[in-house]
Amino acid sequence: MKGTNLYLLLFFVSLFIQKSFSQNIQVVDSYSSQDLVQNVLINSPCANVSNFSVAGGNFGTSENSYGYFTAANNSFPFANGIVLSTGKANSATGPNTSTLSETAPNWNGDNDLQQALSIGNTVDATSLEFDFVPQTSSISFDYIFASEEYHGTAPCQYSDGFAFLLKKNDATSTYENLAIIPNTTTPVKVTTVHPDIQGGCGPENETFFGSYNGINAPINFNGQTTVMTARANVVPGKSYHIKLVIADESNYKYDSAIFLGGNSFNIGLNLGPDRLIATNNALCPGTNFAIDATQSGTNSYQWFKDGILQSVTTPIFTAQSAGVYKVIVTPQNAVCAQTGSIKLEYYPIGVLQNTTLVQCDIDNDGKADFNLQQALPLILAQNPNLIQPQFYTSLSNAQNEVGAISNPTTFSNHTSATVYVRFKDSATSCSTIGTLNLQTSNNMVAPQSLIAVCDSDLNLDGFSSFDLATIATPSLLMGLPSGLQVAYFGSQAEALSVTNPLSNPFDNTVAFNQTIFGRIINGADCYSIVPITLKVNVFLPAVLSPKSVFICNHTPAPLIAPAGYSGYLWNTGNSTKTINVSAAGVFEVEITDGKGCKNKQTFTVTDSEKATITNVLIFDFNEENSFEVQFTGNGSYVFSIDGVHFQNSPLFQNVAIGEYSVNIKDQKNCGTTTSSPFYVLDYPRFFTPNQDGFNDFWQIKNLNKQPKSIISIYDRFGKLLHYFSGAGDGWNGTYNGNLLPADDYWFCLELLDGRKIKGHFALKR
């Protein structure tokens, strides 16, 4: 449809768009294949196009699966172009409020597509084909792939297929697919271009994923890629065939579409792939990049950077900074000028900080060995991606990576006063170079006094712990400029090379006396190196034997610490060599010698005392009489009733009736205590009042010692017959002057201690 009819159609479409307030793309599906190719996609005099064809679904409604779209006044990247769909083309119009799964009767797939993508069972294919003869050496065009299959975890498994197939028009050529991930052979599909799918799979070529589409999207598909470019090298004057095809795979559900940018079919020069950070082929900082647009014959060259005409007119343009570079090559007497463009980006790499490293000059000859690695943190300036530092004695060696310094930890400035350090960038493999100047210092620091500590473990082995930060650093830095710090090393060589620094606290490794070296530093720079002598003193003797002391009856006794030391401190708070104690306990004294070393001696004091008798419990009027002495006292005691034989228990059993007193003797010889006399009593089981002068009265022996005790006599029926006191003579077996018959009689004895003893006895005639 060329000429008046086409112009009228474009006029009405334009008028329709101008009057539409929609923010969605608009689709017209009545264009012919020639209109779509010649007037929408290519529109260039640099190619002769012919043999147009288009194929798609027959919906029976005059609707097609291909068409022309416009996207004025919305966010869609293309202002206009061609849409090829696996459903109706006009269904691609936004917003994205429905799921497209459209098909048509007998709508088959495409064998060329299946062969190109190594897939099978395609349906609902739409294709646009044409021949063209380029007059330049390369072609390219822009496109977006969109699909309803961008939902849930579907991108991990499912994708419709599409391809841009190109081949020479001869009997032996085969198709090449141009719809691939840049710098790869991977076809662009839902499964090869998507972000991280939570609960499904990780990202795939996420840089080329454009977006998921919400309900306000200008197209009616769930997701889409970024604008991508298909490229190919061609031979000027040769005839080529191109087939743009898309199809559903396996079934008709979840449609997809290709959007081709209008007038994006560029038949021009191929200046090579864009050098982009996103495609991991950007340029390293400082790189000069030669863009070669050389063409045979007589040509004129115009170069542009970011749309600005440059003064260069040669076929090769040397780019030194990022930007979009374009060239127009106009052959002499030609109607078709060739154009080409390339976008250059540079990797961002942190800037190094050139610095100076100062080393101590021990012999003041201006030369010293440097540990070059000490300067790395300063040079890096917190650029964590810079790795693999290598040092060189010249800039050219660093640039060419030859002759790296083999001994960076002991490098002498006699070789070179300036070195260069080259870093690799871990993210890009680019390199950057910094400068390190080497200087020496010979600052004087006052000699340090010997530092002595005591052998804290008391093993007399000459080893101890030194808190260098407390006992050494303040003295070293006294009077020096502020901001200096000290690191300690076991030898002067290690202090110079800054290797094997000593830990703090430091446990000496040479018994009794050892010299270490303090490196006074200002950051990485050496201010001075100073020897320091460490000494370990020991307390003699190593062991102060514990002492035991015994006291009686709280009589004070002296605790005497060893003589000949400078200080004493008891756990009682006393600070004398001798203290007096009058109570049991553990007493400890900390002893300090003349070198300040300390040791401890322990005195264990035990005491004892005479017992104090508090009571005697008498268990008498039994067949087995006994008594127990009750007492108080802090001692170990034995007990006796005859002063000769002693027992460990205060309980005396199976004792006869009679008078007793108990002796309690302290086994530590702190004294003996004797009780007052006491009596063990018992009553006679019978008596014979027959006036023969023997056993004529019933009475309790020794009860007269408790004269106020009362005894009552009863017959078996409980009748009171007689009572008398402990001072009385007893009962003669009569009642009211009459002799009572032989029988058992009962008594009740009330003692002064409150006890009541009851029993019975026999009267015999």
Side-chain angles (χ1 to χ4, degrees), residues 420-439:
Y420 301 87
V421 56
R422 179 187 181 109
F423 292 90
K424 297 285 188 182
D425 183 80
S426 60
T428 65
S429 297
C430 294
S431 297
T432 184
I433 298 173
T435 302
L436 174 61
N437 296 311
L438 306 180
Q439 295 181 3

Side-chain angles (χ1 to χ4, degrees), residues 93-100 148 213-217 219-222:
T93 300
N96 181 31
T97 55
S98 62
T99 299
L100 302 180
E148 295 282 46
N213 293 326
I215 60 173
N216 295 321
I219 60 174
N220 193 15
F221 291 96
N222 290 332

Side-chain angles (χ1 to χ4, degrees), residues 4 144 247 306 353 380 410 531 549 595 685:
T4 302
I144 290 173
D306 297 328
Q353 179 66 51
L380 278 171
T410 56
V549 177
K595 299 174 183 176
R685 276 23 178 202

Side-chain angles (χ1 to χ4, degrees), residues 29 31 33 36 53-60 63-67 83-89 102-110 123-129 243-247:
D29 62 356
Y31 274 37
S33 58
L36 293 175
S53 66
V54 65
N58 183 0
F59 300 99
E63 295 174 293
N64 291 311
S65 57
Y66 52 87
V83 56
L84 306 178
S85 177
T86 62
K88 297 178 181 178
E102 299 173 336
T103 188
N106 301 316
W107 194 2
N108 297 323
D110 188 272
V123 296
D124 297 356
T126 298
S127 61
L128 177 65
E129 301 181 62
K243 181 177 185 179
L244 313 176
V245 57
I246 187 171

Side-chain angles (χ1 to χ4, degrees), residues 215-528:
I215 60 173
N216 295 321
I219 60 174
N220 193 15
F221 291 96
N222 290 332
Q224 64 190 57
T225 67
T226 61
V227 175
M228 304 186 71
T229 302
R231 301 178 185 276
N233 293 324
V234 292
V235 178
K238 293 289 186 178
S239 177
Y240 290 84
H241 183 75
I242 193 166
K243 181 177 185 179
L244 313 176
V245 57
I246 187 171
D248 284 327
E249 183 180 354
S250 299
N251 57 61
Y252 69 89
K253 294 183 178 180
Y254 297 107
D255 292 341
S256 299
I258 309 166
F259 293 88
L260 300 161
N263 296 326
S264 70
F265 198 94
N266 179 29
I267 303 176
L269 295 174
N270 182 6
L271 299 181
D274 291 338
R275 306 295 294 270
L276 307 176
I277 296 174
T279 55
N280 201 32
N281 67 335
L283 302 173
C284 292
T287 301
N288 293 334
F289 186 76
I291 307 173
D292 190 351
T294 303
Q295 297 294 305
S296 60
T298 302
N299 306 284
S300 64
Y301 298 86
Q302 286 182 296
W303 289 95
F304 299 83
K305 178 178 183 285
D306 297 328
I308 299 175
L309 180 65
Q310 305 294 296
S311 60
V312 177
T313 58
T314 58
I316 297 176
F317 185 95
T318 301
Q320 298 178 332
S321 60
V324 176
Y325 292 85
K326 177 181 178 181
V327 63
I328 300 176
V329 182
T330 305
Q332 190 176 21
N333 300 323
V335 296
C336 176
Q338 304 179 57
T339 63
S341 66
I342 185 172
K343 184 177 182 179
L344 303 182
E345 292 179 348
Y346 284 79
Y347 289 117
I349 297 181
V351 178
L352 296 179
Q353 179 66 51
N354 295 333
T355 190
T356 297
L357 183 63
V358 180
Q359 176 64 300
C360 289
D361 183 2
I362 300 300
D363 53 10
N364 200 24
D365 64 352
K367 304 299 180 184
D369 288 339
F370 289 75
N371 184 346
L372 302 179
Q373 293 177 345
Q374 288 295 110
L376 292 180
L378 295 175
I379 297 174
L380 278 171
Q382 298 181 344
N383 288 312
N385 290 337
L386 298 181
I387 59 173
Q388 300 177 6
Q390 291 288 328
F391 296 92
Y392 301 87
T393 57
S394 70
L395 179 59
S396 61
N397 283 359
Q399 291 171 334
N400 296 307
E401 295 187 82
V402 296
I405 294 173
S406 60
N407 58 332
T409 59
T410 56
F411 178 77
S412 174
N413 63 336
H414 177 74
T415 303
S416 176
T418 301
V419 296
Y420 301 87
V421 56
R422 179 187 181 109
F423 292 90
K424 297 285 188 182
D425 183 80
S426 60
T428 65
S429 297
C430 294
S431 297
T432 184
I433 298 173
T435 302
L436 174 61
N437 296 311
L438 306 180
Q439 295 181 3
T440 60
S441 68
N442 189 26
N443 298 300
M444 299 301 296
V445 176
Q448 298 299 297
S449 301
L450 177 144
I451 296 176
V453 300
C454 294
D455 192 335
S456 57
D457 58 13
L458 301 179
N459 289 333
L460 293 184
D461 55 5
F463 293 98
S464 190
S465 182
F466 293 80
D467 185 353
L468 300 174
T470 301
I471 63 179
T473 299
S475 176
L476 278 173
L477 297 181
M478 184 177 297
L480 300 184
S482 62
L484 298 178
Q485 295 178 313
V486 184
Y488 296 92
F489 300 86
S491 68
Q492 187 179 79
E494 289 175 332
L496 284 168
S497 61
V498 199
T499 54
N500 303 320
L502 302 180
S503 61
N504 187 63
F506 168 65
D507 295 336
N508 60 306
T509 57
V510 179
F512 298 107
N513 287 278
Q514 182 175 358
T515 299
I516 63 173
F517 294 83
R519 178 184 173 99
I520 303 175
I521 56 176
N522 182 10
D525 295 337
C526 183
Y527 183 86
S528 184

Side-chain angles (χ1 to χ4, degrees), residues 39-42 68-69 78-82 142 260-265:
N39 298 308
V40 177
L41 182 62
I42 297 180
Y68 167 72
F69 74 86
F78 297 141
N80 58 68
I82 298 171
D142 299 333
L260 300 161
N263 296 326
S264 70
F265 198 94

